Amino acid sequence: MRIIKSQKIRAAVSALCVKANLFLQPDILALLKAAQKKEKSKRAQEILASIIKNAAYARQNKLAICQDTGMPIVFLQIGQDVRIAGSLAAAVNQGVADGYRQASLRNSIIQDPLARGKSGFTPAVIHTEIIAGNKIKITVLPKGFGCENKTQLKMFKPTAGIAEIKKFILDAVKSAGPDACPPYVVGVGIGGTADYACLLAKKALLGKTSTKLEADLLKEINKLNIGPMGLGGKTTALAVKVKTYPTHIAGLPVCVNISCHATRSASRVI
Amino acid sequence: MKDFHDLKIGQQIKFSGTVYTARDQAHKRLVSAIKANKKIPFDLKGAIIYYCGPTKTPKGKVIGACGPTTSSRMDEFAPILLRQGVSAMIGKGNRSPEVVKAVKQYRGIYFLTYAGCGALLAKCVKAKKLIAYADLGPEAIYKLEVKDFPLIVGIDAKGRNIYGKN
């Protein structure tokens, strides 16, 4: 048994909120640079160059990469041999507020989705998972709503073929079109239940790509000619990432979560 | 803004002058004020509306990251503001056929600016002043003085749309 004080979690969450919002991840930057080389159109090249310049400017001047600093989503993978001293949820939310305040990020969260009202930094959306070991892995994913608004869920019949599923994913990207800051990272969740497919799609954004399905989808998406800012080009998506989970004999849930060209996140193990 | 009328879709310009930030809730309030014949917090005639909700302003800076938000959420309000004399809108993404029609009818213009480049765009903002709806926080209306703000014509005064027919 290892005791971790909630204050340690608060400090880590705070630092991760700042890191995710100010520093573009190196793998995303590499994908943007590779895309810039592939583009033939001058406009697409120019837009990608601006996005790359924006990341450098944000880093140097300690500014947020994007004014939409998102709804903070915090994933906690907690080792089962850990005991947390203090309130976990309070520590996470205080950490978010600390980080967002410190880096002058945006207070985009309203307390009542219907009454709306004054906005603040918290609460975060918190996902916990119990894993083996005596550590906690914390991941912060600030999700902007320009792209979150383009999420789509479909409950397919269990007899649906892969072609139908691919078409649904492509249509989701088409319907996001120029609106959600392409080139996108496309997260896909397949299986589980309706809610779980949505979580898988979100988690997929954090993962690596490795399958033929992902490579095929990326190729087809990049034929759509949506391109950077939706003004045409070879780069409609930077990556497609699919996560699957067992499901029920009667169904086949598929969720597509679109993420913008910044796809911000940061992780730490404590 | 007479000189906007000659611009064509796809054309890139650098704009220096005044823009007003307004997004979802500010649009809702402006339009209900117009409908109720109430006072509008700034002169809409000739005004340029920027769909933007900046971050908090870091110490020592004029503004935080301040890129465009998705324009289509303002589609139901835009024709009413264009009718009141708004000369231009700045945002990201496509607009509804109704907005395209209204841009043509009232000889307005819709500009795109670099989406997801909020840090870089902050460089172009030289002054920021709160105008109205302070309780809306990032969604309040701010008057921004910008210099060399990069714009791409999305819908021109002739009603042509860079994203094609929709």
Side-chain angles (χ1 to χ4, degrees):
Chain A
M1 170 87 74
R2 179 179 164 223
I3 295 172
I4 297 180
K5 283 188 183 156
S6 64
Q7 289 308 308
K8 198 169 179 178
I9 297 167
R10 175 175 175 171
V13 168
S14 168
L16 291 171
C17 286
V18 177
K19 189 179 172 195
N21 276 294
L22 268 50
F23 305 100
L24 189 65
Q25 298 178 84
D27 58 334
I28 299 286
L29 190 60
L31 288 169
L32 286 165
K33 285 183 175 168
Q36 197 189 5
K37 283 199 186 115
K38 267 188 231 159
E39 286 290 354
K40 295 265 187 295
S41 120
K42 197 175 156 239
R43 172 152 283 160
Q45 279 177 0
E46 263 176 32
I47 295 166
L48 290 169
S50 285
I51 294 169
I52 293 165
K53 233 167 103 182
N54 181 68
Y57 191 79
R59 189 173 56 237
Q60 287 153 11
N61 293 280
K62 299 215 159 55
L63 280 170
I65 297 167
C66 175
Q67 73 289 340
D68 185 353
T69 53
M71 178 124 196
I73 303 166
V74 181
F75 294 96
L76 300 163
Q77 290 175 294
I78 304 169
Q80 61 182 15
D81 299 331
V82 170
R83 193 177 82 78
I84 295 158
S87 162
L88 177 63
V92 168
N93 285 318
Q94 285 161 355
V96 167
D98 292 346
Y100 271 61
R101 192 170 295 117
Q102 185 206 319
S104 298
L105 304 178
R106 197 172 75 183
N107 46 331
S108 309
I109 312 304
I110 44 104
Q111 296 307 305
D112 184 327
L114 297 174
R116 313 301 295 184
K118 219 170 166 190
S119 64
F121 294 126
T122 58
V125 170
I126 304 172
H127 296 291
T128 51
E129 188 186 343
I130 304 297
I131 57 167
N134 64 357
K135 295 188 168 84
I136 302 178
K137 183 177 181 186
I138 307 172
T139 303
V140 173
L141 169 72
K143 190 69 178 4
F145 258 56
C147 55
E148 185 69 1
N149 280 338
K150 305 296 180 183
T151 305
Q152 295 207 15
L153 170 71
K154 186 164 177 177
M155 304 301 280
F156 281 90
K157 286 183 196 165
T159 49
I162 192 73
E164 272 176 79
I165 293 167
K166 278 185 171 172
K167 186 178 178 295
F168 170 66
I169 297 166
L170 254 81
D171 285 347
V173 175
K174 269 192 228 171
S175 102
D179 293 354
C181 290
Y184 301 128
V185 175
V186 182
V188 182
I190 305 178
T193 48
D195 56 330
Y196 203 69
C198 290
L199 181 58
L200 287 172
K202 182 73 53 48
K203 278 186 174 173
L205 296 174
L206 300 164
K208 299 256 178 270
T209 57
S210 54
T211 65
K212 187 178 175 299
L213 175 63
E214 291 166 327
D216 289 350
L217 280 165
L218 181 63
K219 221 171 159 180
E220 287 177 47
I221 288 169
N222 281 338
K223 281 185 198 155
L224 294 174
N225 194 35
I226 293 170
M229 264 177 80
L231 296 176
K234 292 172 186 289
T235 325
T236 296
L238 296 169
V240 179
K241 300 177 177 191
V242 180
K243 246 187 175 339
T244 63
Y245 192 79
T247 191
H248 190 275
I249 49 171
L252 175 42
V254 179
C255 177
V256 182
N257 192 292
I258 306 274
S259 187
C260 66
H261 57 68
T263 306
R264 298 155 292 183
S265 74
S267 290
R268 184 189 285 185
V269 176
I270 57 171
Chain B
M1 284 282 167
K2 207 179 162 200
D3 46 347
F4 285 165
H5 294 160
D6 302 325
L7 296 174
K8 293 187 181 71
I9 47 165
Q11 238 178 298
Q12 277 177 253
I13 62 160
K14 289 204 166 162
F15 174 75
S16 299
T18 304
V19 304
Y20 293 89
T21 67
R23 43 175 291 157
D24 307 70
Q25 300 301 332
H27 272 76
K28 203 173 169 182
R29 286 193 191 178
L30 284 172
V31 165
S32 41
I34 291 165
K35 285 183 175 162
N37 258 326
K38 285 196 179 136
K39 199 171 169 277
I40 307 296
F42 66 103
D43 191 5
L44 291 173
K45 276 216 165 54
I48 300 172
I49 306 253
Y50 181 25
Y51 302 145
C52 172
T55 61
K56 289 194 175 281
T57 305
K59 238 191 176 144
K61 294 198 162 67
V62 173
I63 198 168
C66 55
T69 195
T70 310
S71 305
S72 60
R73 292 197 315 271
M74 269 56 77
D75 282 354
E76 61 171 300
F77 307 111
I80 299 161
L81 295 184
L82 285 163
R83 196 171 67 194
Q84 296 293 315
V86 162
S87 68
M89 303 160 286
I90 306 170
K92 67 167 164 119
N94 208 351
R95 308 304 303 262
S96 68
E98 290 76 19
V99 173
V100 178
K101 211 177 121 193
V103 166
K104 189 179 174 185
Q105 186 178 350
Y106 302 112
R107 288 183 65 73
I109 194 162
Y110 168 56
F111 291 110
L112 309 171
T113 189
Y114 287 86
C117 295
L120 211 51
L121 291 170
K123 233 167 105 171
C124 305
V125 179
K126 302 300 167 193
K128 170 184 170 229
K129 190 185 166 200
L130 176 71
I131 294 295
Y133 312 149
D135 61 301
L136 291 179
E139 295 200 85
I141 295 179
Y142 292 99
K143 184 179 176 182
L144 307 182
E145 299 302 332
V146 302
K147 188 162 187 291
D148 295 333
F149 199 88
L151 301 172
I152 301 169
V153 180
I155 303 168
D156 61 25
K158 293 210 165 109
R160 287 173 296 204
N161 183 359
I162 198 166
Y163 295 118
K165 289 222 181 304
N166 57 352

